[in-house]
Amino acid sequence: MGRLDGKVALVTGAAKGLGEADARIFAREGARVILTDVDEAAGRAVAADIGPSARFRVHDVRDERQWIELIDDIRSSEGRLDVLVNNAGVVQPATPEAIEEESLRFILDVSINGTIWGCKHAIPLMREGGSGSIINMSSIAAIRGHPRSAAYTAAKGAVDAYTRAVAVYCAQLGLAIRCNSLLPDRIDTPMVRAMATATKTMDAALADNGPGKSENDYGQVDDVANLALFLASDESRFISGQSFVIDNTSGITKGSVPPRIIPG
């Protein structure tokens, strides 16, 4: 018996990376999954590979009208929504002195507006079903700060803060709708690879896991997806408004975590 049997889950930014991993593990655990992304070809390929329990829809999370249409479609086709993963996000490198308006608006619109619209329109459908779990994808940048991706840091900080607002709102209304955020770091995803290349900081371990490197140098997408699965399931029914860091201590260490400590 799957941990999400009978549940309907919506995952944004599901064409690759963390969103894809969430969609796959949710489907394996019994959920019917709606994947959304602006990358239609990749998204449809992932949904087809998952199988009949998954379907894909082109969706720009910045557009509130598209959220309204998407939730209406889920209400008509599925009759319920139990899990929302606000995963869609973008990063473009720039220091605080180098941020440009167009890039700033794009980054903030995807992460902040996308999360706000997702919560706004998912809550009523979850309320109709009696319960729900919202999982917002933040980042270790929200608490640590990444100077070369300053706008992304601001966006993810807002996502983490907004998570608590939604959690308290639902709790004070007596709704069985939970909202938590995930703050990963050093996870091997296409976005992390692209960012590392752009800022010329890619570690050799990320590229080829070469000699002398530990399997824990970089996390894998399932390291995040397994926690998302727990938060999506009824096992976490009394957990809400929390920020979960997934980083193998990098957030509490000055600088990058070395592969290992050499005695002596």
Side-chain angles (χ1 to χ4, degrees):
M1 183 173 180
R3 295 162 71 184
L4 300 183
D5 279 354
K7 294 187 182 295
V8 175
L10 167 60
V11 182
T12 69
K16 60 180 73 68
L18 296 177
E20 176 185 351
D22 290 346
R24 289 184 181 278
I25 200 167
F26 288 178
R28 286 200 300 269
E29 289 295 330
R32 300 191 303 282
V33 185
I34 298 95
L35 298 78
T36 77
D37 207 293
V38 293
D39 187 341
E40 182 173 4
R44 290 195 184 282
V46 172
D49 190 56
I50 291 174
S53 62
R55 63 185 177 95
F56 174 79
R57 179 168 174 146
V58 177
H59 174 216
D60 185 338
V61 298
R62 298 173 294 173
D63 185 345
E64 186 181 12
R65 173 55 55 183
Q66 291 191 33
W67 272 106
I68 294 170
E69 293 171 352
L70 174 62
I71 296 299
D72 283 347
D73 173 66
I74 294 172
R75 179 181 280 107
S76 298
S77 61
E78 306 291 346
R80 62 185 299 126
L81 179 64
D82 303 284
V83 181
L84 166 64
V85 182
N86 283 311
N87 172 75
V90 292
V91 59
Q92 296 177 345
T95 67
E97 291 185 284
I99 294 173
E100 296 183 353
E101 183 176 2
E102 183 178 359
S103 176
L104 173 64
R105 290 186 182 278
F106 179 48
I107 292 168
L108 298 184
D109 278 354
V110 173
S111 286
I112 301 177
N113 292 8
T115 297
I116 289 173
W117 299 143
C119 294
K120 175 182 177 180
H121 295 291
I123 288 171
L125 185 51
M126 289 179 171
R127 185 202 296 253
E128 292 172 19
S131 64
S133 175
I134 299 172
I135 302 164
N136 293 330
M137 189 59 64
S138 182
S139 166
I140 195 69
I143 55 176
R144 186 178 182 187
H146 287 312
R148 283 171 293 199
S149 52
Y152 178 80
T153 296
K156 292 304 186 180
V159 168
D160 187 46
Y162 193 69
T163 295
R164 291 183 285 278
V166 172
V168 172
Y169 171 80
C170 291
Q172 289 185 345
L173 286 181
L175 305 177
I177 299 172
R178 299 173 291 109
C179 188
N180 294 285
S181 63
L182 302 183
L183 285 69
D185 186 35
R186 297 169 62 85
I187 306 298
D188 186 0
T189 67
M191 188 173 78
V192 168
R193 287 176 176 268
M195 182 63 182
T197 299
T199 57
K200 303 186 186 305
T201 60
M202 181 175 288
D203 190 294
L206 183 60
D208 61 11
N209 198 34
K213 298 298 181 181
S214 157
E215 65 178 4
N216 291 324
D217 286 342
Y218 285 87
Q220 300 303 308
V221 291
D222 278 351
D223 294 325
V224 180
N226 282 321
L227 181 51
L229 171 62
F230 169 68
L231 293 173
S233 76
D234 294 337
E235 298 161 16
S236 57
R237 56 169 296 277
F238 204 59
I239 299 173
S240 190
Q242 302 304 306
S243 306
F244 293 88
V245 175
I246 313 163
D247 71 346
N248 195 28
T249 78
S250 69
I252 57 173
T253 305
K254 183 178 180 180
S256 297
V257 179
R260 58 177 54 80
I261 297 175
I262 302 175

